[in-house]
Each structure stands twice: as C-alpha cells, then as structure tokens.
Amino acid sequence: MTLEQPLDNELTPAEMEKLKSFDSTLYGQIDLFNTADGSAKRLLLVKGAQSLENELIRSTKLNTPPSSTLLCSLGHIQLLLEDFPKAMSAYQKYYNMDQTCEQNINFLYGLGIVYSHFNQDQWAMQTFQQVLYLNPTFVRASDVHFRIGIIRKNNKEYETATKHFRIALNDSSSSAFLKAEVRFHGAHMFELQGDNKQAKLLYEQLLQGTSVPDQIRANAYRQLGWMYHSDESFGDLERRELTAIEYLRKSIDADNTNGQSWYYLGRCYSTLNKVHDAFVSYRQSIDKSEASADTWCSIGILYQQQNQPMDALQAYICAVQLEKTHTAAWTNLGLLYEANSQPQDALACFQNARNTNPDSVNPNVTSRITVLSTQLSKLNTQQLKEVIMAQKHTLPCINEAFHLPIPAELTSRQQGGVVGGAPPQGYNACSAGLSPGASMLSNGQPSPKKRRTVNRKKAEPKPGDVAQFMNQQQMQLPAYLQPQNAASLTPQQQAAAHQMRQQFFAQQQYQISLNMQPEDVPDTSIERQPVYPKDDPAKVLHPSELSAIKQEVVTPAYPVISPRPSQRQSNKLNQNETKTCIAMTAREILDKCKDQSKEPIKGSPNILSDKCRPPLPPPCPEPPLSPEQLTPSTPTITIECKKDAMSSDLQRISMGQPIVLVKNLATVLRMNLGLFSTKTLVETAPDHPCEVRTQRLFNVEETLDAQGQKTWKQESTRTTTTIAKYAHYQASSFQESLAAETGKSKEQFQKSLAKSSAAPQPTQVKTVSTTSATQVKGGVSRDSDSDSSSSSSGGKKKSKMIKFGTNVDLSDRHKWKDQLVELHKLPKWLNVTWAGNGLSHLGHTVLGMNSVQLYMKIPGCRTPAHQENLNLCSVNFNIGPGDCEWFAIPDQYWGELYRLCQKNNVDYLSGAYWPLPEDLFKAKIPLYRFTQKPGDMVFISPGAPHWVQATGWCNNIAWNTAPLDVDVFKLAIERYEFNKLQSYKSIVPMVHLCWNLAKNVKLKDEALHSLIKYVCMKSLQHTGRIENLMSSKGKHIVWHGRQDEDAPHYCFSCELEVFNILFVREVEKQHVVYCIDCALKISPILDGFVILREHLTDSLSQTYDSYELQSESAVSEVVHSLLTFNPQPSTPQAVH
C-alpha cells in the first residue's frame, strides 16, 4: 500500500511513547480505516514507519548497524498497516541480527501472520507452534489456535484441527475472530469428511444463535443448500432441490455479494430444468465475485444442452482460460467437439483433461482417448483431409477457439481481481459467447428447449428403434431452419423445426459414436452428458470469506525466513545447569516458586532446560553420503548357543545399531512360538477383539492414489472383529491364493519360484553381516514376495483391498498366561516386565508399549512408517509361517524424513505414510532393507524410523522397552517436548514415569539419575506455583488421592499430561480433567471447576529429597533385586 506523506516525519516524545504500545498483538483488533479513532492511529503508524525508515537510512549512511528493537518495531507497524512485503523485510533483518529473537513472542506471532498472508502454511504453523510452546498463555493464544486449526483443516488433518478449534472455542479471552467462525469451521470439517448429517446438525445449531454475523449466517445457509443439492440421502430429488433453493435464497438475503451462493443456486435451477433462472443466477455469480471457472463451465453445459454449441464452446474456453487445469471444462469441450464430428479436437481436449490434472480426471476419459486415437490412426491421408475439411463447417478448432474475443468483463476480473459490483460499461453479451437472445444481463434466455435433468442418463437412439431416425431429406432440413431463419416461420413451424433440430442432434451423436467405434475396441466411451465441475466440498469455502483470515494468493517480495542451522540442533540438557538445579532441596524449590508468582503457568512443565529452544527436527547430517553408502548393510546376528543369547554383548551390539536382525534366538532358547500361531489363538480365545485395517494391496516399492499416481499417503479404514473371524479370513486368503497358483501353468509356476528365490537375504553370521539392498540407478528396486502387483503404475488396474488384523492386546495375564510365560525365556533386557525396563514402572498398562500386541497378516499388509512412542526401543518377533520385509533409516535422519513428509503433505507424527525409496535416495537418506523370516527377532534402537510389509501369511508379536540408559531417556524427553510443540499426545506420561522411577529405582548412573531428578524438580516447581496461584484466588484444593494402578490424566482440551493437581469440570454429563492453562482460558476465576490433588506436597518432597545415587556397596544386590522385581515395589531397587 502507499503511505500518506505527513508534513513532519519526526516523532514527538509523546508520539514515540504511544508508538511503543503498538505491536503484532493488535493485528485484527483495531480498525485503522473505518473509524475516526482508527484514522488517527493510522496516521501515527504511517508517521512512525517513515520515521523508523529514516533512522535506518541514517544508520546505513553512517555504516553503523541499526537497533534490532527498531527493526522489530518497524515490522510490527508495517504489519498493522498491512504492508506485508515491508513487514517481512523488517522481520527478516531483525531475525538475522538478534540471536534471541526466537524468544520474542510478539515477533513470532507477527511473523506467523506474514507467513499466512503469503500462503506459507508450513512456516506459519511452525512459527505459531513455537508461540504456544514458549507461552501457552499468550494474549493472542486463541487466535493462534484458530489459525493453526485452519491450516490443519486445509491439510485434511481434521483430528488435530478439531483440538485447536476446541481450545479456541473454549477460550474466554478477546480475539480477532468470532466464536461463530470456529463453530462454522467445525461443522464444515464434518462436511469435508462426508458426515453431512452431523454437519447439517451443527450448521442448524449455529444458525439458531442470535449474534451470528450476516456473512457467517450466509455461509452456513449456503453450505446447507449445497448439501441438500448434492446428498441423495436427504430425500427425493425435487424436494431436495426445493429445500436447497430455499436455503440458498436465505444465504443471498443475508449476503447478496456471495457469488458462490448464486452459483449453487444456478446449479439447483439447472437440475430442475429452470434454464432461465439458472442463467440469471450464473450471471449474478459472475457479477458478485471474481470470475469462476466452475461458473463458466456450468454456463457451457446449459448452452450445450440447449443445442447452442458455439456459445457452449466460448463458455468452456472462458473456463479453461481462467483455470487451465479445469478437468470438467476440458472434458466437456471434448464431448462438444466429438458431438460435432471433430475427433481431432475432441482427442486434444480429452488429453488435456487427463494430463493437466490427473488427480481429478474421470477414469473413462482415458478409455475415450484410446478409442479416438485408434480410430484416427486407421484413417488414411485422404480421409484425414476430409475430416479436417468437415470441421470448417462446424465449430472452430481448438487453436482457433482460443483466439476468439474474450469478454472485457472477464479480462478485467482476471487482471484487477474485482470483487462484486456491476459489470463494466459497454459489456457486449455476444463477445462473451452469449447469443443476443440469451444474454444473461437481460431477462432473455436461450431457446426454450426443455433440458433433461442432470442425474438422468441421456437417451440415445437404438439401432432397432427406426422411428427415431431421420431420412436423408430430413437430415438436410435443420441446416435451413437455424434460429436466424426462423423469423418467417409460424409458431407451429418453429416448434416443428425445434423438434427436428433435437432429433437431428441426437441422431448425429449416435452416428458419430457408431462411425468412430473400431470393431476391435470395446465401447468404453463416457456418457454424452456434459460433466459438471467436481462436487468437492473442500472447494466450496474460501478462507478469505471469514474476517479473521486473509489469504491472498501472492508471491512474497522477500524470501521466507529459514531457521538458523545452529538452532535446529537437538536440545541437550546442560549437565552443569542440571546439577545446580537438583542440588536444591524440595523446600528451597517450593520457596523459590513464590518469587515466580507473576510469570504465566503452562499447562505442563517444560522438562527440557529453560534455556533450550523449542525442539525442532535436526538438519541432515554432513557430509552427504555416496550412492554406495545409501544402501548400508543390515546388522544381523545369528545366535549359536544359550550363552550367546544371554551375553551382554548381544545387548551392547543391538543398542549400538539403528536396527538389528537377530536370527536363531527363539530356537536356541527353545521358545514355543507356536503359542502365538493363529490356530492356538483361536483355540485360546476365539472371541477376543481384533482391530482391522482395510488397506489397498501395493508393491513394496510404492503406493498409488486413486488415479494411479505415486503418493506417500497410506490410506486405510478401521473396523473391529474377533480373532476367530480374522483367522477365517486369513485362511481363506491363503486357500484362494493356493488355488490360483495351482491353476497356473508349470512354466509360470517355475518362474514365480525362481523370482522368489532370487530375493536377497541377510547373510547369517555371528556378528554384524554385510547384507545390502540391491542398488538400481542409485536407489533400491526389488520385486516383492507378495502378489501386490495387481496395481500398475499407470493406474489402469484397481488394486485389491486387503485386511490387516492389528493391535490384538495380549496383556490379560489369565487369558494369555501360557504365551506370556513363554516370553520369560528371553534375556532380561528383552523382557516385557523387569526392573531395568523403565516402562515396567508406569504402574498401568499402555497397550503395545509395556504389554504384548499381536499382528495377524496376509501378503501386502502394511505397518506405515513411524518412530516408536517417545523414541523408545522395540522388540518384534515373526511367528510365521510367512516372511515380512522391513525398511528402516538411522535416527539421525528423522529430521530429513520429517521435511519429506511436509513436502508430501502428510503429518509426520499422526499421518500414515509409506516413503518411496527413490525419494529417500534423492534426499541422501540411507535405507536399511531386509527380510524377517519366521522365528527372527528385530530390535529397533531408540528413534529409528521404520516400516514393514508382510510378504506372506504370518503373525507378529511386538512390545517396547525403555532401558535405563541416559541416551534413551534424553531422546524420550526431547520427543515428549516435541510432541507438545506439535500438539501430539504422548501416550507415555513422562512426568509420571520419572516420579515412579524416583520411588522405585536407585541408580548408579549419575547422568541418568540427574536427568530423572531434574524432571521431578520441574514437576515439583510446577505444583508449587499452581498451589500459590490457587491460594491467591481463594480456591481450595480437595484431596483426591490415587491408586497405584490408576492411569495418569490428560487434559481434555489440549491432551497434555496433567500430574497431581487436576481441574475437573462437567462436560456433557461427564467429569473431565483440564490442565491449569486450559481451565483458566475457559474461566479466569475457575467458575464451575473442582480442583483435586492426587499427591501430598510433603510426600512428593520426601520422594525428591530421598532420591540419591546408589552406593557401590548396594550395587552387588542388583541381581537379587532383578529376580524379585515387582512392577510396584515397596522399596527402591538398585540398577546399574
């Protein structure tokens, strides 16, 4: 924007003092343009910006660095003036100058808004997450949650978006947006997920409010109208359309400038055959909003159905000029040209429909391309010339069509982005492709031919239906009965001429379909009915319609700010700082809390050092690896005797590698893995629940979307069944495959065996082996052992749906006694329960973590890529009889994998994804790849991302371990805090675990001891501060207590771990727990909350003070302690 030039650029002392009160937190809070007070503030900001810019110029002339505070202030002022490029420039200079800028909350908030303006959603979300992590009680935290929710919603991360919207909705503080906006987006998310009934209920509840702004009310009515138009479950067609029209009329009454509502209204009228009303509505849509390709495409459909091909052609051309990748417009152009005997142009349009946007192309278009290509290839030169000559008497070819006059109204909207208002003066309906009698600016309409309904298949003449065909003389009449020659005809003759043109058009279409259909090509042509723009609910709402979010599609004038490499390193706890902190007694810690009464209290304590920056993904290790190093050997250990199995070397080697394949362990220890076979499971507990993931069957090398394009997203649906029912499915799948294999020829069977035997296997050696993935063009390429080749890369074959039986809980010690006892034969460090496993001290079961889970598979079943919860270790046994193929990367490269997930639009923590090997190699990420045979154990070290696909029929069992090792716990604490930053729930409560370890275990490892005590210190400090705050508010904390086996609590709103002091409130007749931060946001005076205490402060203080390093003399008792371990021992246990 252009700033006004005040008479005097120099600021008075009073103005300088007043200017200090302006920062990014005022964005959206003050109106600088429509009020007298706002205008005065705006003039002050303009003068301040010019004064600060002059100061920068003087610093440059004097060759002195400007003040970083000046740069930050300038960024805030330019943001409030909505001069986003200058705001970005100032913020960027401040970022590069001030090393402490990442602790400046107002700067981060302003920077996030600028990123949002330039549509840099990933950067904006990362910046907003840092704001909430550093200060959850930030004055604009509600706005931040709302903005993150919008970004998550646009990324289809609906569960996370719901969490942020819920927090924003519950926040009672002032914000730049309205609660009605949050509720609207909540309803719209259900619509995006296909739950129209729930969306309808929420929209109706929103509209019942009395203080809903007209714009939001219009949007809600519009979405209700659209759902009634598009969802057949809402009733019969005519009733639905009438209801939709009623809602859309209400939307227009509330906001007459809403072009989308007018467009939907046109669609409804078009369905009801009200052609004139449809044209008028489309005309209003173009007038009220920026030119829309969807609107012009729908206009073209009306013209095409009214047998006005030239007008339809120009409307479609307008659509594809506005949006070159508009698949529906290109498809309709192809149908139009094909109906007018112009196969070459039709083929070109169908190819554009396929190539410009393969994600949304109609699959039948590909078949039509094949039909036309085959027919044209059989024409000789003379026939081809005849086809081209015939085109001169019909429509302009596609190249000529693009040079037809473009409406001035349309080009003005393209260039100027005009929104609303009347059309430009001198607008010519003819130049817009509208015939004079069909101008949408007037009350006229196209020829009165009654069109067929959209949902009804177009009737086509059949060869045996002689009555529908015209003779040669009749075929020549329509050429002389065009509308321009119809003035001399009587009304009866005009009606007859119109009917004859209809019959001519239908017969022409049928003859074209016959003439262009090769005998050797099956008729797979698409319907001759034009295709409407895709009914995508995500496309019906633009964020710019809501006042709080402005997302103009612009290119930043300055590059976005990248975090400094030194700041993207893993946060390491400073040992000196830790020792200083834990040297204080519990009483000293609590007394110190009284001095921090004015500082905001987070919902959960930051258990990293206060001086640590927010945890961010690490950079890719340097230097880059060579192609040979990208396919490292898979560490493989073969156990030859029981002594080797029980040796400490096995643990040392396993913990020293990212992932290790251990062979022959079960055989040496004489473990009966048959107890975990499907047969035994069915005999033991046939009705035991089993979660089922329905997936598509793919080759291990790739995942394909619905259009056959490679993708990282691994989609699945979740249902439940029983072990017996899945066992039946597993057995049936094997029998079907066996029958199919038996039916093959002997030669094919031998080739299949040869192909399977050619797959590389790990070399069985006692120490680390040299197994390596096969290298192909710098990457990994190998055929899967499964029959997942049913999906081709071209997407022509639909992949088979398969079911994966997962997360079968084997924690019941009575039901699964034999199975769990059998696992006691393993070395102690691999046991599910023992004193040296930190997870054994949780005191409650976390399914799949400190309990055994079973997985039942058929070929192709996938476990998507992931890191274990809190980066802990994992143990996995293949029960057999089939194999599994594993992929893994070293934990040092998880940051690069995180960035690849962002690039592929999947959430690293909560998303399901299958990394493509070629993408990993391009990013210089090494990939381990190996086969796990029946009886093999895979040990995953802390933090190693991995993913698995079954190549045969098999079962697997797995669980996690948390060795009492300082490196393991450092990684766990960093991931615990990273989960907070990402608003991702940590299912292992780290604070609760550390307190239990302090009570149960005495350690010799000083570093680990200090780390655990530091976490307890931060937790005790957090408790003390909450107690002081409650005392100042006059709130009584009620004793509640807890049992040893009670599960820890998580905040109902933000899902953070809540330790000791619980804020309980009734929600929908249930009592739920909140953290202090969310409780205060709901009610600053905690009205309606009951505050409970689970631990006495004196008890926590005693545990903290008595937690000391174990002496050397006590270490000798460790063996006895391990053998007599109880998960909830009454006395501390010594472990080294």
Side-chain angles (χ1 to χ4, degrees), residues 242 245 266 268-279 302 451:
L242 292 176
I245 290 173
C268 293
Y269 282 137
S270 178
T271 301
L272 293 176
N273 302 322
K274 297 183 178 181
V275 179
H276 168 69
D277 292 334
F279 269 103
L302 280 182
R451 61 172 290 266

Side-chain angles (χ1 to χ4, degrees), residues 752-1021:
S752 176
L753 288 178
K755 186 177 183 181
S756 176
S757 63
Q761 302 293 335
T763 305
Q764 297 188 6
V765 294
K766 188 172 182 179
T767 56
V768 177
S769 76
T770 57
T771 306
S772 176
T774 305
Q775 301 180 37
V776 177
K777 295 183 180 179
V780 170
S781 177
R782 188 177 62 140
D783 289 336
S784 168
D785 294 332
S786 71
D787 57 347
S788 59
S789 59
S790 60
S791 175
S792 64
S793 59
K796 294 182 181 180
K797 296 182 181 179
K798 290 186 177 180
S799 54
K800 178 183 177 183
M801 302 301 296
I802 58 174
K803 296 180 179 179
F804 176 17
T806 182
N807 298 338
V808 181
D809 175 31
L810 304 185
S811 62
D812 191 325
R813 294 172 181 261
H814 301 287
K815 186 183 293 185
W816 307 107
K817 178 181 178 181
D818 293 343
Q819 284 79 5
L820 297 178
V821 168
E822 194 68 19
L823 296 179
H824 290 167
K825 295 179 181 179
L826 289 169
K828 284 292 182 182
W829 65 279
L830 292 175
N831 265 231
V832 181
T833 302
W834 80 295
N837 179 2
L839 294 176
S840 297
H841 298 274
L842 280 174
H844 70 285
T845 300
V846 180
L847 297 181
M849 296 290 294
N850 58 358
S851 67
V852 181
Q853 276 193 332
L854 175 88
Y855 306 90
M856 307 174 72
K857 308 176 182 179
I858 69 169
C861 288
R862 285 180 169 182
T863 300
H866 66 286
Q867 287 176 293
E868 297 297 322
N869 289 290
L870 294 193
N871 283 336
L872 298 178
C873 304
S874 178
V875 180
N876 186 294
F877 274 92
N878 183 9
I879 307 303
D883 301 342
C884 288
E885 187 156 11
W886 282 68
F887 302 82
I889 65 175
D891 67 288
Q892 299 94 328
Y893 290 85
W894 79 265
E896 199 62 25
L897 183 63
Y898 173 89
R899 285 179 282 277
L900 286 177
C901 285
Q902 287 185 318
K903 182 179 178 181
N904 288 276
N905 199 29
V906 292
D907 187 87
Y908 180 77
L909 293 176
S910 61
Y913 53 95
W914 189 263
L916 301 180
E918 58 264 34
D919 292 343
L920 298 179
F921 287 113
K922 287 178 183 177
K924 302 297 182 183
I925 300 176
L927 178 65
Y928 294 98
R929 182 174 181 176
F930 59 92
T931 297
Q932 181 191 28
K933 295 287 186 180
D936 290 352
M937 183 194 81
V938 175
F939 182 83
I940 299 101
S941 292
H946 55 281
W947 53 104
V948 190
Q949 177 162 321
T951 57
W953 289 263
C954 62
N955 292 348
N956 287 69
I957 54 173
W959 60 92
N960 291 98
T961 66
L964 297 180
D965 177 84
V966 65
D967 292 329
V968 172
F969 273 75
K970 279 184 178 179
L971 286 176
I973 288 173
E974 289 176 14
R975 178 48 55 90
Y976 182 83
E977 291 297 317
F978 182 73
N979 288 348
K980 284 185 191 178
L981 180 70
Q982 299 289 319
S983 300
Y984 182 76
K985 182 179 179 180
S986 296
I987 65 173
V988 176
M990 200 67 199
V991 175
H992 174 84
L993 174 59
C994 287
W995 277 109
N996 278 359
L997 288 173
K999 289 189 291 184
N1000 298 339
V1001 180
K1002 292 284 187 175
L1003 296 168
K1004 181 184 176 183
D1005 186 337
E1006 181 179 1
L1008 179 58
H1009 168 269
S1010 299
L1011 191 61
I1012 293 173
K1013 193 164 185 178
Y1014 182 83
V1015 174
C1016 294
M1017 184 273 296
K1018 297 298 291 284
S1019 173
L1020 184 62
Q1021 186 183 61

Side-chain angles (χ1 to χ4, degrees), residues 176-218:
F177 61 88
L178 301 172
K179 302 300 181 185
E181 294 180 71
V182 185
R183 296 174 62 191
F184 176 85
H185 282 283
H188 190 230
M189 280 198 299
F190 281 100
E191 185 182 353
L192 293 174
Q193 297 175 79
D195 190 351
N196 285 346
K197 290 185 178 180
Q198 182 64 21
K200 174 178 175 291
L201 176 64
L202 294 177
Y203 284 135
E204 290 172 344
Q205 291 176 355
L206 172 63
L207 291 169
Q208 290 172 2
T210 57
S211 59
V212 181
D214 288 342
Q215 192 178 38
I216 299 175
R217 188 177 296 275

Side-chain angles (χ1 to χ4, degrees), residues 343-578:
Q344 285 185 312
D345 293 315
L347 177 61
C349 293
F350 286 138
Q351 288 173 335
N352 279 332
R354 179 193 63 186
N355 298 334
T356 55
N357 194 356
D359 291 341
S360 61
V361 69
N362 187 329
N364 291 328
V365 169
T366 304
S367 301
R368 197 68 212 147
I369 290 173
T370 302
V371 171
L372 291 172
S373 299
T374 304
Q375 198 278 338
L376 288 173
S377 66
K378 293 185 176 181
L379 296 177
N380 56 37
T381 305
Q382 182 60 33
Q383 291 173 324
L384 196 58
K385 287 182 179 180
E386 292 176 359
V387 171
I388 296 174
M389 291 298 295
Q391 292 180 7
K392 294 182 179 179
H393 302 287
T394 54
L395 294 175
C397 68
I398 187 63
N399 292 330
E400 294 175 357
F402 269 90
H403 293 88
L404 293 175
I406 303 299
E409 182 267 357
L410 178 60
T411 56
S412 67
R413 291 187 185 278
Q414 284 179 295
Q415 297 169 2
V418 179
V419 179
Q425 232 178 352
Y427 174 78
N428 187 347
C430 296
S431 68
L434 309 175
S435 60
S439 172
M440 292 188 296
L441 290 175
S442 67
N443 291 326
Q445 66 180 47
S447 56
K449 171 187 172 184
K450 185 176 180 180
R451 61 172 290 266
R452 285 172 280 271
T453 59
V454 174
N455 295 328
R456 191 177 304 160
K457 186 174 181 180
K458 188 167 184 177
E460 295 184 3
K462 298 179 182 179
D465 194 356
V466 182
Q468 293 188 12
F469 284 88
M470 304 170 68
N471 57 36
Q472 189 64 29
Q473 184 179 4
Q474 290 173 324
M475 288 285 289
Q476 296 175 359
L477 286 176
Y480 300 98
L481 297 177
Q482 295 298 321
Q484 60 267 26
N485 298 327
S488 59
L489 301 179
T490 65
Q492 293 80 6
Q493 290 173 328
Q494 289 180 356
H498 175 67
Q499 183 177 3
M500 188 170 293
R501 283 198 299 271
Q502 272 190 294
Q503 192 172 357
F504 170 80
F505 181 66
Q507 183 168 341
Q508 184 187 46
Q509 284 185 313
Y510 178 68
Q511 288 178 339
I512 292 171
S513 66
L514 289 181
N515 295 337
M516 298 186 62
Q517 191 65 46
E519 295 181 0
D520 56 341
V521 178
D523 186 2
T524 57
S525 60
I526 58 180
E527 294 182 17
R528 296 292 193 261
Q529 192 71 26
V531 181
Y532 272 106
K534 185 179 179 181
D535 296 345
D536 184 2
K539 195 174 182 179
V540 301
L541 180 71
H542 194 278
S544 63
E545 295 173 346
L546 301 181
S547 59
I549 301 295
K550 297 181 179 179
Q551 291 188 346
E552 298 113 53
V553 182
V554 292
T555 303
Y558 301 92
V560 296
I561 302 173
S562 302
R564 287 181 280 269
S566 61
Q567 295 177 343
R568 297 174 64 178
Q569 308 225 338
S570 176
N571 284 304
K572 302 296 182 184
L573 290 172
N574 187 298
Q575 282 193 337
N576 293 329
E577 179 191 351
T578 303

Side-chain angles (χ1 to χ4, degrees), residues 1051-1089:
C1051 178
F1052 174 75
S1053 188
C1054 65
E1055 295 186 321
L1056 288 179
E1057 178 188 358
V1058 182
F1059 178 78
N1060 190 18
I1061 299 181
L1062 316 176
F1063 295 82
V1064 182
R1065 180 171 178 252
E1066 186 175 351
V1067 177
E1068 297 180 354
K1069 298 182 179 181
Q1070 290 185 342
H1071 290 90
V1072 297
V1073 174
Y1074 290 87
C1075 67
I1076 184 173
D1077 179 41
C1078 292
L1080 289 174
K1081 286 177 179 177
I1082 294 173
S1083 173
I1085 61 173
L1086 297 176
D1087 186 32
F1089 283 92

Side-chain angles (χ1 to χ4, degrees), residues 538-679:
K539 195 174 182 179
V540 301
L541 180 71
H542 194 278
S544 63
E545 295 173 346
L546 301 181
S547 59
I549 301 295
K550 297 181 179 179
Q551 291 188 346
E552 298 113 53
V553 182
V554 292
T555 303
Y558 301 92
V560 296
I561 302 173
S562 302
R564 287 181 280 269
S566 61
Q567 295 177 343
R568 297 174 64 178
Q569 308 225 338
S570 176
N571 284 304
K572 302 296 182 184
L573 290 172
N574 187 298
Q575 282 193 337
N576 293 329
E577 179 191 351
T578 303
K579 289 181 179 180
T580 302
C581 294
I582 65 176
M584 294 187 296
T585 65
R587 177 46 52 194
E588 291 172 337
I589 293 171
L590 294 173
D591 289 341
K592 192 176 180 181
C593 292
K594 298 177 182 179
D595 302 330
Q596 302 172 331
S597 58
K598 295 183 179 180
E599 296 181 13
I601 304 177
K602 297 182 179 181
S604 177
N606 178 3
I607 58 177
L608 286 173
S609 170
D610 291 330
K611 296 182 179 180
C612 285
R613 299 183 178 91
L616 296 175
C620 190
E622 295 289 344
L625 301 180
S626 65
E628 294 75 18
Q629 293 173 315
L630 296 178
T631 54
S633 301
T634 303
T636 305
I637 302 173
T638 300
I639 304 300
E640 296 181 351
C641 61
K642 188 172 182 179
K643 181 180 178 181
D644 291 343
M646 298 300 176
S647 170
S648 60
D649 289 341
L650 178 60
Q651 180 180 6
R652 177 180 55 80
I653 295 174
S654 299
M655 290 290 294
Q657 300 291 334
I659 193 166
V660 175
L661 177 64
V662 181
K663 306 180 75 67
N664 209 39
L665 178 64
T667 302
V668 166
L669 297 177
R670 298 187 177 181
M671 295 176 63
N672 182 13
L673 296 182
L675 292 171
F676 299 94
S677 66
T678 300
K679 179 177 180 294

